[in-house]
Amino acid sequence: MPSIMAASRSNPLLNSLPRFLTWRSLGFRTICSGRLGFAPSDPDPEPPVSTAGTKFLETFREEFEIGSRLITFETGKIARFANGSVVLGMEETKVLSTVTSSKGDSVRDFLPLTVDYQEKQFAQGVIPSTYLRREGAPKERELLCGRLIDRPIRPLFPAGFYHEVQVMASVLSSDGRRDPDVMAANATSAALMLSDIPWGGPIGVIRIGRICGQFVVNPTMDELSLSDLNLVYACTKDKTLMIDVQAGGIAEKDLEAGLRLAHPEAVKYLEPQIRLAAKAGKHKKDYKLSLVSDRTLEKVRNLTEAKIEAVFTDPSYGKFERGEALDNIAQEAKRTLEEECDTESLTVLSKVVDRVRKGVVRNRIIAEGFRVDGRRLDEVRPLYCEAGYLPNLHGSSLFSRGDTQVLCTVTLGAPRDAQRLDSLVGPPTKRFMLHYSFPPFSINEVGKRVGLNRREVGHGTLAEKALLAVLPPEDDFPYTVRINSEVMASDGSTSMATVCGGSMAMMDAGIPLQEHVAGVSVGLVSEVDPSTGEIKDYRIVTDILGLEDHLGDMDFKIAGTRKGVTAVQLDIKPAGIPLDIICECLEPALKGRLQILARMDQEISAPRTQDHRNSPRLATLKFSNDALRRLIGPLGVLKRKIEEDTGARMSVSDETLTILAKNQTVLERVQEKIDFIIGREIEVGGIYKGIVSSIKEYGAFVEFNGGQQGLLHVSELSHEPVSKISDVISVGQQLSLMCIGQDVRGNIKLSLKATLPQLKSKKNNVTEEPVPVIKEAPKVWTSVGNLPNEQEEQKLTDAELMLSRSTVKPSTSSNPGFLIRSAAECDEEDKTVSLNQGSKSNSKTLRATKRDRKRKTKVPESDDSDASIYSSGHSSHTVDRLNDEDAKVVSPLSAKSLKLGMKIAAKVYQIRALGLVLDLGNGVRGMYRFETNGKRDFEIGDELLVKCTSFSSKGLPVMSLVDDE
């Protein structure tokens, strides 16, 4: 074969030989090793292989720009069997929306519309982290996006259309820069336009943000993180369908400006949908509509209208009494129709009676301006507020508005308790959660609790948006917050009652809110011209009842503070409401909100200040990673043991330990266990728990602070003389001891008697005060008070802690660091010292020298007018520069010689948020707290003349500027 191929290449004529002259036609197979081989007889020749044809997918596409973003509608390529399907693309994000409808006749009296929105992880190139590695039940975000699609499309289905309709929207790809929810709503509108389902669209849905006072159309996720407004607006060509707002306290006039900007931008989505439907849309099918005949409507109206009007004009009826009276009227009409054998009217009786009720209520509100319960149109129902209803909890409140009642509770947790989010866009965690529950007993019905409910998720999210605007930043308040809203009774606007109750519960828990948030629901009752469909007359109703919500045209929920709006949700029943009427509702909503805020302030106007026993504590401690490894133990055994014993929870990160304790007592227990395992920096005056390891004639050695040893001298056992050490303590005994310094050999000196109360002296009957017990406290976030002095005092305690951690260290201080020695080394040192004792003359000289030194350093007691000034070990010109001629410079300074009223020349060592850390000399540190209107522009190294005014709970001197006095 290679020779033939070579021959073919060398002689191109061989390639053009006819078939009968080729080797194969003569029966030869090939040429092998110079010999001809015969080919076997050929079987029947195979038929030629047919290739598959190319399928052509007819695709229709529309492109347009909104807010400098290129948007495309595409249909015909995928999901071709669906009644209507559209893929909407914006940059690298694509969303598919499909619609289908049942074929059979409807036998129901409502529209069974179902909207399913799904975000699968493949859209961002990620495998789900679940056990089965696949998506599970719908998440909260998916339910909320489904509601966002449902709310604007539902009012546009024709009256009497009760066929089942299903919308399924799914994200095909996501670049993480765009929120797909608005894209899915517009894709659903286009899919309905392409289908044969009767629908009064198209609609346009737009998102508006505001950054630095400038509105942004179709903002990205990064832009939304900087925005104080997240407005989603849906409309037809001339009417509003849906509004959803989350804001940071935007003024009503700015919100109105955003709405008026959103409408023309949303209308830009309509024309491309109309053009696409003209190219690829189906002819609208004639579905059977369940309409009520005029004869039936007139007959039922004559039977029930007068009686229904009598019930609604009597304001003494309560919710259930009114409902029972209306049911009795319907039953009387039913018996009358049964006697007449009017089957047609009996089939639609409940629907017709409801229409008669609606007409009676609406006509009375428009004509007379009176409502069902006798209130004026702008009147808010009576309010009841109670903060701290459940004192055993972190925070709680009870809020009632009319017959609507909500119980809210607050639970505080550690940062790691934040909810993990698995969405394509947005933050990965959420530290503020509000869970809304609507049990069936709240409306006197029988039901059962199920999983996530779309209505409960929607109402809870609305209240969560409203309260999130006033939550302090994470740096100031690192807790995770969970609010539970339990509806106790429902008669309208339970979500707005949740906002009010949640705000009071947060203040009851001590969360530092600057102001309250309240919400109110505004309704609309309109009269429409049947010939044109335009509104002839209307009335705006504040704080609507559940019945007014059912019989009215809209439910406009607005929540906010005195300064502005934080959340809005608009749901309507007719096929759109003019934007002018929507904007007009903002003013009565503000008036009603201010009335509610005034009542809430009467109950609780600032966060709680008392640290009650159930107030949680969050502490953050700094340790080395080696120390944290010792705390965790093998496989986390020690850490779990501490959590089981105390009930606290600990989380460890890089050189940081975070503790969440139920109360202050639990936090102190956890700290004691941590100090015993890994120890802490030793400070003079600190109290430590230790175990006696050995007993000598001169004292005992105690193991404490994570394995360190200290000496408890016999003279420090008790205020009374001790003849035998073993009579007071024993090996293995646990003691609480105070560190009082170090001896000449570098041993840590411990004292037991310093922690015991002293007895009265028999000589002079003067009671000596015991040495104060000093406990180390970490940086703790507690309840923030409403009094400025208490708040500053709490924050100053945190600054004291940061300062106290640098007290006793082997650092640049003139005092030598602590030297830890064993008991055997101390015995050997004692022998050496006894052999090297000098003569008596040398001892006398040494004692005289000490007496002279004491005379030089003795400070005369005096009042504030001639208090002594210490030079603090700084340069000699410090005091001269401060122009205090009467100053008496005494050096060196020590912690024991420092007294109240003493004036000292100090240097600025550190600058903190609330004050200064001062270097008083010889390693002694003091602190100065900024005055309210005092000087704050200091620099490190500045020389100041200060006076000791007090000592903190840690034994640290608190100084004040002499110039400030």
Side-chain angles (χ1 to χ4, degrees), residues 64-72 88-91 177-184 186 204-211 214-224 227 229-233 261-262 265-266 268-269:
F64 57 101
E65 279 192 11
I66 295 180
S68 73
R69 319 291 186 191
L70 180 63
I71 303 172
T72 61
L88 188 146
M90 185 184 300
E91 295 181 350
R177 300 183 67 246
R178 307 285 174 192
D179 196 329
D181 55 355
V182 170
M183 299 173 61
N186 285 294
V205 186
I206 197 76
R207 173 173 270 112
I208 301 292
R210 192 179 72 159
I211 303 175
Q214 299 296 320
F215 291 108
V216 181
V217 180
N218 279 339
T220 63
M221 296 303 298
D222 293 337
E223 290 172 336
L224 275 179
S227 174
L229 173 66
N230 186 357
L231 165 64
V232 178
Y233 180 85
L261 170 67
E265 294 293 333
K268 294 179 182 179
Y269 280 96

Side-chain angles (χ1 to χ4, degrees), residues 619-666:
T620 302
L621 304 176
K622 293 290 185 179
F623 294 102
S624 65
N625 288 328
D626 292 336
L628 292 177
R629 291 189 192 98
R630 296 201 308 272
L631 173 64
I632 295 173
L635 302 177
V637 174
L638 295 179
K639 175 176 172 290
R640 288 197 300 271
K641 177 66 175 173
I642 295 176
E643 291 178 335
E644 292 173 359
D645 293 344
T646 62
R649 285 185 288 177
M650 299 187 298
S651 60
V652 178
S653 58
D654 187 25
E655 297 187 347
T656 303
L657 173 66
T658 303
I659 307 171
L660 178 68
K662 185 177 180 181
N663 49 48
Q664 183 64 32
T665 304
V666 174

Side-chain angles (χ1 to χ4, degrees), residues 215-501:
F215 291 108
V216 181
V217 180
N218 279 339
T220 63
M221 296 303 298
D222 293 337
E223 290 172 336
L224 275 179
S225 64
L226 304 175
S227 174
D228 63 349
L229 173 66
N230 186 357
L231 165 64
V232 178
Y233 180 85
C235 66
T236 59
K237 185 177 181 180
D238 54 357
K239 292 184 179 180
T240 301
L241 290 170
M242 186 268 296
I243 298 174
D244 197 278
V245 174
Q246 179 180 359
I250 184 172
E252 276 75 5
K253 63 177 183 178
D254 295 332
L255 177 59
E256 180 178 350
L259 294 174
R260 297 195 180 278
L261 170 67
H263 188 90
E265 294 293 333
V267 169
K268 294 179 182 179
Y269 280 96
L270 305 184
E271 189 61 31
Q273 297 180 51
I274 296 173
R275 293 197 302 266
L276 186 66
K279 295 178 184 178
K282 298 178 181 179
H283 179 70
K284 295 299 180 180
K285 184 179 178 181
D286 292 331
Y287 285 82
K288 181 180 179 181
L289 303 181
S290 301
L291 299 177
V292 179
S293 64
D294 295 337
R295 185 191 68 84
T296 301
L297 179 60
E298 187 65 26
K299 186 174 184 178
V300 174
R301 178 184 287 117
N302 294 333
L303 291 174
T304 60
E305 185 175 26
K307 300 177 182 178
I308 291 176
E309 187 173 356
V311 172
F312 283 135
T313 54
D314 188 353
S316 64
Y317 279 106
K319 175 180 179 179
F320 294 104
E321 293 80 4
R322 187 185 304 114
E324 184 177 355
L326 294 174
D327 289 341
N328 293 334
I329 295 172
Q331 291 299 323
E332 292 178 4
K334 181 180 179 180
R335 287 192 292 268
T336 303
L337 295 176
E338 287 177 344
E339 294 175 356
E340 298 177 0
C341 299
D342 192 345
T343 308
E344 178 185 355
S345 299
L346 286 172
T347 305
V348 295
L349 177 62
S350 60
K351 185 190 305 183
V352 177
V353 170
D354 189 66
R355 289 183 60 177
V356 175
R357 295 176 186 173
K358 184 176 181 179
V360 170
V361 173
R362 294 168 67 91
N363 292 335
R364 187 164 184 262
I365 291 176
I366 292 178
E368 304 175 18
F370 287 103
R371 302 163 66 172
V372 174
D373 55 356
R375 284 183 293 150
R376 298 186 307 273
L377 299 182
D378 60 348
E379 185 178 351
V380 178
R381 286 174 286 176
L383 303 173
Y384 174 82
C385 302
E386 181 179 352
Y389 175 70
L390 301 173
N392 196 43
L393 305 183
H394 296 169
S396 63
S397 71
L398 191 64
F399 180 84
S400 297
R401 185 177 58 237
D403 289 333
T404 297
Q405 186 181 62
V406 171
L407 171 65
C408 290
T409 62
V410 171
T411 306
L412 303 179
R416 70 173 186 178
D417 293 327
Q419 180 183 1
R420 297 180 182 272
L421 303 177
D422 249 349
S423 57
L424 299 180
V425 294
T429 59
K430 184 171 70 171
R431 72 182 186 100
F432 178 67
M433 300 160 283
L434 193 149
H435 297 155
Y436 169 96
S437 177
F438 190 89
F441 67 77
S442 63
I443 52 175
N444 195 26
E445 290 185 358
V446 177
K448 54 185 177 181
R449 297 184 182 273
V450 293
L452 286 178
N453 180 280
R454 290 175 183 258
R455 180 181 178 278
E456 292 182 342
V457 171
H459 282 50
T461 302
L462 175 62
E464 182 181 299
K465 291 177 181 179
L467 295 172
L468 186 61
V470 297
L471 186 71
E474 188 172 2
D475 293 339
D476 299 335
F477 190 77
Y479 290 92
T480 296
V481 182
R482 183 194 183 208
I483 298 179
N484 277 85
S485 173
E486 304 291 330
V487 178
M488 298 289 104
S490 173
D491 191 14
S493 302
T494 54
S495 60
M496 294 296 95
T498 296
V499 174
C500 303

Side-chain angles (χ1 to χ4, degrees), residues 594 675 898 958:
L594 293 178
D675 292 342
L898 187 62
V958 180

Side-chain angles (χ1 to χ4, degrees), residues 554-737:
M554 77 173 185
D555 183 8
F556 194 13
K557 303 182 180 72
I558 306 175
T561 64
R562 286 185 171 85
K563 299 177 181 179
V565 176
T566 59
V568 170
Q569 179 176 297
L570 170 66
D571 296 320
I572 66 172
K573 295 181 179 64
I577 296 175
L579 181 58
D580 292 337
I581 297 178
I582 300 296
C583 295
E584 187 180 344
C585 295
L586 296 176
E587 183 63 26
L590 174 60
K591 293 181 180 179
R593 187 167 78 241
L594 293 178
Q595 296 179 37
I596 300 172
L597 287 171
R599 179 62 185 88
M600 293 167 61
D601 283 336
Q602 293 177 8
E603 175 63 21
I604 179 171
S605 59
R608 299 290 192 194
T609 58
Q610 68 268 23
D611 297 330
H612 52 78
R613 58 188 180 90
N614 289 310
S615 180
R617 295 292 183 272
L618 183 66
T620 302
L621 304 176
K622 293 290 185 179
F623 294 102
S624 65
N625 288 328
D626 292 336
L628 292 177
R629 291 189 192 98
R630 296 201 308 272
L631 173 64
I632 295 173
L635 302 177
V637 174
L638 295 179
K639 175 176 172 290
R640 288 197 300 271
K641 177 66 175 173
I642 295 176
E643 291 178 335
E644 292 173 359
D645 293 344
T646 62
R649 285 185 288 177
M650 299 187 298
S651 60
V652 178
S653 58
D654 187 25
E655 297 187 347
T656 303
L657 173 66
T658 303
I659 307 171
L660 178 68
K662 185 177 180 181
N663 49 48
Q664 183 64 32
T665 304
V666 174
L667 180 62
E668 292 174 357
R669 288 177 55 197
V670 175
Q671 288 178 288
E672 290 178 0
K673 292 181 179 293
I674 293 174
D675 292 342
F676 189 79
I677 294 175
I678 62 178
R680 65 188 184 197
E681 293 180 357
I682 302 172
E683 62 176 2
V684 175
I687 302 296
Y688 303 89
K689 286 189 176 182
I691 297 177
V692 178
S693 58
S694 62
I695 296 178
K696 305 296 180 181
E697 294 181 357
Y698 50 84
F701 285 92
V702 180
E703 183 177 346
F704 74 107
N705 200 39
Q708 295 181 344
Q709 279 198 344
L711 175 62
L712 175 61
H713 195 266
V714 63
S715 62
E716 297 295 334
L717 285 174
S718 174
H719 297 291
E720 300 294 333
V722 177
S723 58
K724 191 175 181 181
I725 299 177
S726 58
D727 294 339
V728 182
I729 59 175
S730 58
V731 175
Q733 183 178 354
Q734 184 173 352
L735 303 173
S736 293
L737 306 170

